[in-house]
């Protein structure tokens, strides 16, 4: 494809945009569980208005755009009190949870470089339920992940095992409030004590839960201490573009005090161009997301969020209680927030997901990992709650239908192919063999995903990651003639 010779008028482009738009999930109708965080039309409009007004401004230079710095400072200040921080807590606005985590890991690494220079191969202790973004940060920043098993029943981090994982190279410890996959909060107080005792940086990932948990607590949910009120907590990440319902590109990374945050900041006068001072990974950046986040938080307000949280809290209780009663399904763990997962020991969950898709529901598969067998994840947002009863009816019907469908043949094909894996065969050759044996190609998006999901689920980890990267590379490869 080339850049068009002549510019195309907007009315024609609009038709094309609309055609592309049609291909996507229609997210407004609340039938997508996860991916979208829909605050309702009014708050959405408020966010869009602010977003468009500040879209073209550049957060690169807050001396020229003080508005953008002010939005950021206000959001950080609100977050600090929301998370029970003292007036020493500092933080910054970022483009998302991944960037917040990236920055916290960088700060922890560079803090260790300055204060524990004898550590040459830094390690991060991560419960296996920690978000993939920590693996990404570790890969980018050259920190080694030390994965630690969790309680196989509750899926919470195990403080004894976390403590045992400490070595002379440990630079940080991570826990989640709550974890995305199972929606459970790690024992932050116990872990905070261990971190303090050993003088280790402790990051609490409140990306998905940080904003909402205080509201669940006010509604009577049994929420343990999970934030800066716990002494050993050094830093936290908290997304706004999840349960603060602000448009995407909005998260916060927070530190107990500016001494820790120092290691996040970047300044560079070592070149002939303009002086660069960045608090985040991005340099030039639109003012849209921060203006929109500021506006939506003010628009909804504390009472509005409490109201939304109440719907999520009650909706989740209803779903959990009902799903437990559907034949063949079982809950993975009792959740602390409005996200949880369930599975089956008799029915292929991948068929259930496809059957639900036929009924226009979009729910996420989570593959088997450690003690967590493959399962279905639900995140219950404000716009989903109205659909709980029809959703449950369809889920029951889908489980019933799926229970009579053939499954396991792809997993068997994978196992057979793997049994012929000789040391001279590379991982990618092995993968090619497995995929051809299972009859899977990655050239287009299928209608039914169960075969692909079953294969991915059955692949051993290195091959699973390899397959996913191949898929990504295919999807964004050169245009086929
Ligand atoms: C969503 C999430 C992240 C990553 O956030 P992105 O905004 O998708 O980059 C990190 N941790 C947890 C617990 C999350 O739920």
């Amino acid at each position: 494809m080339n850049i068009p010779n002549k510019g195309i008028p907007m009315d024609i482009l609009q038709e094309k945009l609309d055609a592309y738009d049609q291909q996507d999930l229609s997210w407004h109708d609340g039938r997508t569980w996860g991916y979208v965080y829909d605050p309702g039309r009014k708050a959405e409009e408020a966010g869009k208005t602010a977003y468009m007004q500040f879209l073209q401004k550049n957060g690169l230079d807050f001396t020229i755009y003080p508005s953008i710095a002010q939005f950021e400072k206000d959001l950080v200040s609100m977050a600090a009190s929301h998370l029970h921080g003292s007036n020493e807590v500092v933080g910054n606005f970022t483009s998302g949870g991944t960037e917040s985590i990236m920055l916290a890991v960088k700060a922890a690494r560079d803090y260790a470089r300055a204060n524990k220079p004898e550590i040459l191969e830094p390690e991060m202790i991560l419960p296996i339920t920690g978000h993939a973004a920590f693996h990404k940060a570790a890969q980018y920043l050259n920190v080694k992940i030390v994965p630690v098993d969790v309680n196989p029943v509750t899926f919470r981090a195990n403080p004894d095992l976390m403590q045992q994982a400490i070595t002379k190279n440990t630079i940080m410890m991570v826990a989640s409030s709550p974890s995305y996959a199972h929606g459970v909060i790690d024992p932050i107080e116990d872990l905070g004590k261990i971190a303090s005792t050993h003088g280790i940086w402790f990051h609490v990932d409140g990306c998905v839960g940080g904003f909402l948990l205080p509201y669940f607590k006010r509604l009577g949910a049994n929420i343990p201490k999970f934030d800066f009120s716990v002494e050993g907590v050094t830093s936290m990440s908290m997304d706004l573009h999840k349960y603060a319902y602000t448009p995407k590109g909005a998260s916060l990374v927070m530190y107990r005090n500016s001494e820790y945050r120092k290691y996040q900041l970047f300044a560079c006068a070592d070149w002939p161009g303009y002086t660069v001072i960045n608090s985040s990974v991005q340099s030039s950046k639109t003012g849209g997301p921060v203006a929109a986040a500021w506006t939506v938080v003010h628009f909804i307000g504390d009472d509005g969020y409490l109201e939304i949280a109440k719907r999520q809290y009650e909706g989740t209780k209803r779903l959990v209680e009902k799903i437990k009663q559907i034949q063949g399904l079982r809950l993975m763990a009792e959740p602390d927030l409005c996200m949880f997962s369930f599975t089956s020991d008799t029915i292929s969950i991948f068929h259930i997901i496809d059957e639900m898709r036929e009924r226009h529901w979009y729910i996420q598969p989570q593959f088997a990992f450690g003690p967590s067998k493959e399962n279905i994840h639900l995140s219950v947002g404000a716009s989903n709650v109205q659909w709980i009863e029809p959703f449950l009816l369809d889920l029951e019907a889908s489980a019933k239908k799926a229970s009579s469908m053939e499954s396991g043949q792809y997993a068997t094909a994978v196992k057979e192919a793997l049994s012929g894996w000789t040391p001279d065969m590379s991982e990618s050759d092995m993968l090619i063999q497995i995929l051809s044996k299972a009859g899977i190609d990655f050239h287009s998006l299928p209608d039914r995903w169960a075969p692909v999901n079953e294969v991915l689920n059955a692949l051993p980890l290195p091959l699973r990651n390899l397959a996913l990267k191949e898929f990504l590379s295919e999807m964004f490869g050169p245009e086929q003639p």
Side-chain angles (χ1 to χ4, degrees):
M1 192 185 243
N2 296 312
I3 297 170
N5 281 335
K6 285 204 163 68
I8 301 170
M10 190 55 200
D11 52 341
I12 296 175
L13 289 175
Q14 188 61 57
E15 280 171 28
K16 289 184 193 272
L17 290 174
D18 291 344
Y20 282 125
D21 196 16
Q22 286 293 316
Q23 298 173 4
D24 300 338
L25 291 184
S26 79
W27 58 272
H28 259 129
D29 55 15
R31 296 176 76 94
T32 306
W33 302 70
Y35 308 104
V36 277
Y37 299 84
D38 177 6
R41 293 288 166 131
K42 283 188 183 147
E44 186 194 331
E45 282 310 317
K48 276 186 182 163
T49 303
Y51 199 106
M52 295 316 291
Q53 187 172 346
F54 288 84
L55 173 67
Q56 301 289 18
K57 299 195 178 181
N58 192 346
L60 172 68
D61 189 341
F62 52 79
T63 62
I64 295 185
Y65 300 107
S67 60
I68 294 178
Q70 194 58 48
F71 293 141
E72 176 163 342
K73 285 199 255 184
D74 287 354
L75 287 166
V76 166
S77 170
M78 284 189 259
S81 59
H82 199 58
L83 297 173
H84 301 101
S86 75
N87 56 9
E88 296 206 333
V89 165
V90 293
N92 288 99
F93 185 86
T94 76
S95 64
T98 300
E99 190 180 357
S100 292
I101 286 168
M102 192 72 70
L103 290 169
V105 174
K106 180 210 155 357
R109 185 198 66 179
D110 291 355
Y111 176 85
R113 278 183 181 168
N115 293 284
K116 300 178 183 174
E118 66 283 4
I119 297 182
L120 300 177
E121 294 182 357
E123 295 174 0
M124 173 198 322
I125 300 177
L126 182 74
I128 60 160
T129 46
H131 195 278
F134 290 98
H135 292 267
K136 190 174 184 179
Q139 284 183 25
Y140 281 27
L141 295 165
N142 205 16
V143 172
K144 184 179 160 204
I145 297 243
V146 177
V148 176
D149 283 338
V150 298
N151 180 313
V153 176
T154 63
F155 291 99
R156 293 179 210 280
N158 177 327
D160 291 336
L161 294 181
M162 294 285 281
Q163 174 150 11
Q164 286 163 27
I166 296 172
T167 72
K168 60 184 192 335
N169 289 328
T170 304
I171 60 153
M172 82 186 295
M173 209 164 85
V174 174
S176 311
S177 288
S179 63
Y180 180 85
H182 305 97
V184 300
I185 303 173
D186 288 328
I188 305 298
E189 278 190 281
D190 293 347
L191 294 170
K193 276 201 198 94
I194 295 169
S196 304
T197 308
H198 291 83
I200 294 169
W201 186 297
F202 182 28
H203 181 85
V204 173
D205 183 11
C207 275
V208 78
F211 193 84
L212 193 52
L213 282 170
Y215 293 105
F216 266 51
K217 188 167 175 126
R218 275 158 67 181
L219 291 166
N222 182 19
I223 307 290
K225 284 190 179 180
F226 72 92
D227 55 17
F228 285 114
S229 59
V230 177
E231 205 180 302
V233 175
T234 317
S235 58
M236 288 191 74
S237 40
M238 179 174 97
D239 290 351
L240 298 171
H241 64 200
K242 287 176 181 159
Y243 291 122
Y245 293 98
T246 77
K248 282 203 185 34
S251 173
L252 295 165
V253 58
M254 313 281 296
Y255 299 85
R256 181 164 289 276
N257 61 49
S258 57
E259 178 55 24
Y260 295 114
R261 202 261 309 266
K262 207 166 84 181
Y263 298 95
Q264 173 199 305
L265 306 178
F266 178 78
C268 182
D270 311 16
W271 73 308
Y274 58 88
T275 298
V276 173
I277 34 174
N278 293 154
S279 52
S280 64
V281 176
Q282 292 181 304
S283 197
S284 287
K285 58 182 176 189
T286 165
V290 73
W294 186 93
T295 304
V296 169
V297 170
H298 281 89
F299 184 84
I300 296 178
D302 192 57
D303 58 344
Y305 282 117
L306 188 63
E307 214 299 292
I308 294 174
K310 185 158 186 278
R311 279 187 273 149
Q312 289 174 273
Y313 179 52
E314 285 166 2
T316 305
K317 271 208 265 193
R318 167 90 184 144
L319 272 168
V320 163
E321 180 192 313
K322 280 286 163 188
I323 287 174
K324 282 183 192 163
Q325 291 167 12
I326 295 179
Q327 195 166 17
L329 302 187
R330 71 173 168 86
L331 205 64
M332 296 290 291
E334 288 293 335
D336 291 317
L337 197 61
C338 57
M339 70 222 51
F340 63 93
S341 52
F342 60 96
T343 189
S344 174
D345 298 316
T346 50
I347 311 169
S348 157
I349 58 128
F350 301 126
H351 282 320
I352 297 178
I353 289 169
D354 283 347
E355 283 302 310
M356 287 299 274
R357 205 181 166 96
E358 301 252 311
R359 293 164 174 79
H360 306 291
W361 299 107
Y362 299 91
I363 52 184
Q364 285 175 333
Q366 297 186 139
F367 295 131
F369 183 77
S372 183
K373 73 176 292 186
E374 69 275 11
N375 61 70
I376 295 173
H377 176 94
L378 290 186
S379 283
V380 185
S383 64
N384 301 126
V385 174
Q386 56 181 319
W387 290 107
I388 286 177
E389 301 311 321
F391 176 87
L392 284 166
L393 286 177
D394 278 341
L395 183 60
E396 188 161 15
S398 296
K400 191 149 182 247
K401 175 103 182 279
S403 69
S404 64
M405 294 167 71
E406 189 190 0
S407 70
Q409 70 273 38
Y410 293 99
T412 307
V414 171
K415 279 202 197 87
E416 275 169 15
L418 280 171
S419 67
W421 192 359
T422 51
D424 59 315
M425 205 191 291
S426 70
E427 285 183 347
S428 58
D429 287 344
M430 187 65 231
L431 182 64
I432 291 166
Q433 250 195 40
I434 293 173
L435 295 180
S436 79
K437 192 151 190 170
I440 302 252
D441 79 71
F442 278 147
H443 296 287
S444 58
L445 299 179
D447 286 336
R448 289 186 76 94
W449 282 85
V452 174
N453 283 336
E454 195 178 304
V455 168
L456 288 171
N457 190 57
L459 287 176
L461 267 191
L463 291 187
R464 195 189 281 173
N465 287 335
L466 191 64
L468 293 168
K469 280 194 233 175
E470 294 276 320
F471 172 57
L472 189 59
S473 181
E474 280 290 330
M475 284 304 294
F476 294 94
E479 203 72 43
Q480 298 299 325

